[in-house]
């Protein structure tokens, strides 16, 4: 059984979705920098570590030595020393078709441009939203409101992220 650590943010829906789909992996720790994350209201969560300090987080990760680290809505840049310590063990979920629209608000920027709409799951690297692509799923933005697009995007995230975690 693979040991997984999931970094999540304010909503935490991908973290909660990964919890529901555990079969050949077990989430042993959730990490967030958001005390106000909606996910924290749920019951039956694995241990949760709330911290703003990446050095503190790094020590926790070394202690656990996970098989895979999943960045799912964690909107902070992971320091190079963490990425280098866990080569090919950190994956990121990004809301655009990379290499287009790196960084924050990618889903909104891609939708407005009607270009590179969808999700990318990739290995984390020292380059922001760089790293080897594992999976990309395109979404047609035409004839949709932004809210409809966001709903379809979330549906794709919830479908493909657990599948990729299963495969790795």
């Amino acid at each position: 059984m693979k040991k997984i650590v999931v970094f999540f943010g304010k909503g935490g829906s991908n973290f909660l979705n990964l919890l529901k789909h555990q079969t050949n992996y077990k989430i042993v720790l959730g990490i967030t920098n958001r005390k106000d994350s909606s996910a924290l209201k749920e019951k039956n969560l694995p241990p949760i570590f709330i911290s703003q300090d990446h050095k503190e987080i790094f020590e926790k990760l070394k202690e656990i030595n996970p098989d895979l680290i999943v960045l799912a809505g964690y909107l902070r840049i992971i320091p190079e020393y963490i990425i280098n310590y866990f080569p090919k063990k950190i994956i990121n979920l990004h809301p655009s078709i990379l290499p287009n629209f790196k960084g924050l608000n990618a889903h909104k920027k891609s939708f407005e441009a009607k270009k590179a709409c969808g999700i990318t799951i990739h290995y984390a690297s020292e380059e922001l939203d760089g790293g080897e692509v594992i999976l990309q799923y395109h979404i047609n933005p035409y004839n949709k409101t932004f809210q409809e697009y966001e709903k379809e995007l979330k549906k794709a995230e919830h479908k493909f992220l657990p599948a990729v975690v299963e495969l790795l």
Side-chain angles (χ1 to χ4, degrees):
M1 180 86 55
K2 293 183 290 194
K3 292 188 303 185
I4 309 290
V5 171
V6 180
F7 283 65
F8 62 97
K10 187 173 182 180
S13 72
N14 280 298
F15 167 61
L16 296 175
N17 187 58
L18 283 168
L19 280 171
K20 289 180 196 166
H21 289 90
Q22 295 178 98
T23 53
N24 73 339
Y25 64 89
K26 180 166 179 57
I27 297 174
V28 295
L29 183 67
I31 296 177
T32 186
N33 61 321
R34 302 291 304 249
K35 292 178 184 175
D36 63 344
S37 176
S38 301
L40 299 176
K41 296 174 187 163
E42 296 296 319
K43 293 179 170 66
N44 303 318
L45 295 176
I48 302 292
F49 190 63
I50 302 171
S51 179
Q52 300 284 338
D53 184 348
H54 279 123
K55 288 189 170 104
E56 201 175 67
I57 291 169
F58 182 46
E59 292 307 314
K60 196 74 160 164
L61 290 171
K62 288 193 301 188
E63 179 185 308
I64 291 171
N65 191 28
D67 297 303
L68 187 66
I69 299 167
V70 180
L71 308 177
Y74 184 74
L75 301 179
R76 295 185 64 205
I77 295 172
I78 302 298
E80 285 183 26
Y81 61 87
I82 294 177
I83 290 169
N84 292 333
Y85 191 87
F86 296 99
K88 289 282 217 176
K89 285 190 172 186
I90 305 174
I91 65 170
N92 183 46
L93 171 63
H94 185 76
S96 78
I97 301 299
L98 292 172
N100 295 289
F101 305 105
K102 295 181 178 187
L104 296 174
N105 300 311
H107 65 302
K108 188 170 188 188
K109 291 174 186 171
S110 65
F111 179 80
E112 288 171 353
K114 301 290 190 247
K115 176 184 174 191
C117 294
I119 65 168
T120 300
I121 300 171
H122 65 95
Y123 287 104
S125 70
E126 294 173 2
E127 179 189 343
L128 175 66
D129 293 325
E132 180 187 341
V133 170
I134 300 164
L135 176 142
Q136 291 184 316
Y137 179 77
H138 295 260
I139 297 172
N140 183 346
Y142 292 98
N143 301 317
K144 290 180 179 80
T145 65
F146 181 63
Q147 291 72 26
E148 291 168 334
Y149 174 72
E150 277 187 310
K151 189 175 180 180
E152 194 171 339
L153 191 71
K154 192 58 68 181
K155 188 176 175 183
E157 291 175 352
H158 287 182
K159 178 179 180 179
F160 292 109
L161 186 58
V164 167
V165 170
E166 286 277 329
L167 292 171
L168 295 179

